[in-house]
Amino acid sequence: MVVGGGAIGAACARELARAGWRVIVLDPDGERGQAWRAAAGMLAPQIEAGEGHALLELGLAARERYGPLADELRASTGIDVGLRREGIANLAMDEADVARLRAKVAWQRQQGLVCDWLEPGEVRGRWPALGTCLGALWAPHEGAIDPVRLVEALRADAAAAGARLTCDEAVRLERRGDRVVGIVGRHSRYPAGAVVLAAGAWTGGVVGAARPACVAPGRGQMAALQWPPELTPGIFYGKDCYVLARDGEAICGSTLEYAGFDPSVTSEGLSRILAAAGTLCPPLAGLDVRRTWAGLRPMTPDGLPLLGAEPRVEGLWYATGHGRNGILLAGITALMLRLLMCGQTPTEDLSALRPDRFWSA
């Protein structure tokens, strides 16, 4: 039983079904602020993770996983998940940015990662319509994927492997002593010998676990504008925003606000995004907004996911709390979880992601 049918849940269901497990995915579906519906789909571990960050190595493995995964999904479902690996530029807008990004380039190159510093003239040569900047960190192996198409493909491939998607909301974990025996939903009861909690920001709402899940919703607001014809398509990060070219639109984001389970778009949040995007890419300034939306990211106190077994309840597993990195980490999370549930050794170090780390003595 997988509780949650977003990017993480669908990826886990696919891996487990392909490994021979009988899988039911429990998801209320609809549009209620799910993180994957609002994500830009960045594959940017080099841009977003700093020196010594616990998610850098896992994020790099996750990024590389998407090459074969995208091919597999296209072959099995016919869905192109929109994988792009054309690089990301992180622009330096002031001297503090220059110092920070130059240091980041130096450290990443010392670790054997492909990462370069572009001087201001090089940035202008590549993207003449960008705003004035003092240079940029250039990570040519970074990219993005279309999150909606990704979830569609993962669900379709999971179903083809035998997984069953059921529209219901998990309410309570059913236990017999210290062992999972099923899930009680709003509409029915579902017996299960193992349960994977992958309900994103709603994970903590499933009662009956051994301890609180320590996952809270962080609202991320987004906007889409028409991509200006004079601006060379690309993916650009600035201090306060990012801009991504996709299907003729400029996808601009994003905020991070703790506003409970309210997925509303606010005038203040939208104004911040548009102002920052207009500074980063001046051709965007003053353009009409085509669409706005928001999603609720599952945030943990230390910003790291919960991944692995609950030691106090046999048969209970966590794959949640991925915050801003749910799309990036979906494929690798599913692979690591499948290895764990099948009694195999994970290929990546997951020690920092222990589900009980906030409650250990």
Side-chain angles (χ1 to χ4, degrees):
M1 170 73 67
V2 176
V3 177
I8 301 295
C12 291
R14 174 185 181 271
E15 280 286 343
L16 292 171
R18 286 163 58 93
W21 291 64
R22 293 179 59 191
V23 179
I24 296 175
V25 181
L26 211 61
D27 191 273
D29 216 355
E31 297 187 17
R32 55 172 188 160
Q34 295 97 325
W36 64 271
R37 292 189 186 277
M42 297 295 190
L43 307 180
Q46 288 182 245
I47 297 292
E48 298 201 350
E51 182 175 348
H53 196 281
L55 282 185
L56 178 59
E57 292 300 324
L58 188 65
L60 292 170
R63 186 187 69 190
E64 298 311 308
R65 169 86 178 125
Y66 269 115
L69 180 57
D71 290 341
E72 291 169 12
L73 291 173
R74 184 186 299 107
S76 60
T77 69
I79 298 171
D80 182 348
V81 297
L83 176 64
R84 294 171 50 196
R85 296 284 300 276
E86 299 166 2
I88 298 179
N90 192 341
L91 306 186
M93 308 305 288
D94 55 33
E95 292 294 344
D97 284 347
V98 172
R100 175 177 58 85
L101 293 175
R102 276 188 174 277
K104 193 169 184 176
V105 169
W107 178 81
Q108 290 197 9
R109 294 179 75 166
Q110 288 170 359
Q111 306 308 306
L113 301 176
V114 179
C115 187
D116 294 308
W117 175 256
L118 302 181
E119 295 293 345
E122 295 177 280
V123 176
R124 286 193 300 273
R126 295 186 185 209
W127 305 285
L130 282 181
T132 301
C133 72
L134 302 180
L137 179 155
W138 172 241
H141 292 171
E142 304 273 76
I145 198 166
D146 188 308
V148 174
R149 283 187 248 165
L150 173 66
V151 172
E152 180 186 359
L154 289 170
R155 287 181 174 183
D157 207 28
R164 179 161 59 92
L165 180 63
T166 299
C167 187
D168 198 356
E169 182 177 1
V171 174
R172 177 169 56 87
L173 186 71
E174 192 171 22
R175 292 163 51 181
R176 185 171 298 132
D178 292 332
R179 175 163 187 83
V180 165
V181 295
I183 284 286
V184 176
R186 294 206 177 275
H187 306 302
S188 187
R189 175 186 174 273
Y190 306 89
V195 171
V196 178
L197 292 180
W202 291 267
T203 300
V206 182
V207 302
R211 65 189 103 228
C214 291
V215 179
R219 183 172 64 193
Q221 300 185 47
M222 306 278 292
L225 296 74
Q226 181 177 351
W227 189 266
E230 67 270 30
L231 182 59
T232 304
I235 306 175
F236 311 111
Y237 270 66
K239 187 178 299 183
D240 301 309
C241 75
Y242 55 75
V243 175
L244 160 71
R246 175 179 288 137
D247 297 333
E249 291 187 325
I251 308 299
C252 306
S254 173
T255 64
L256 178 56
E257 309 152 296
Y258 290 94
F261 287 91
D262 179 7
S264 302
V265 174
T266 67
S267 57
E268 180 183 1
L270 183 59
S271 294
R272 288 204 306 269
I273 292 170
L274 296 179
T279 299
L280 193 67
C281 302
L284 296 177
L287 293 183
D288 291 337
V289 176
R290 286 185 165 185
R291 297 179 291 122
T292 62
W293 63 99
L296 302 175
R297 304 185 184 104
M299 309 300 294
T300 62
D302 60 5
L304 302 177
L306 309 177
L307 179 55
E310 165 55 69
R312 294 185 182 178
V313 182
E314 187 178 355
L316 179 59
W317 300 83
Y318 287 89
T320 189
H322 291 72
R324 295 168 55 93
N325 297 293
I327 299 301
L328 169 65
L329 297 177
I332 200 71
T333 291
L335 177 59
M336 295 302 102
L337 185 74
R338 189 255 295 168
L339 292 174
L340 289 169
M341 293 182 70
C342 292
Q344 301 175 37
T345 302
T347 56
E348 305 296 327
D349 181 8
L350 306 178
S351 57
L353 312 185
R354 289 185 0 260
D356 63 334
R357 63 185 181 273
F358 301 116
W359 303 97
S360 300

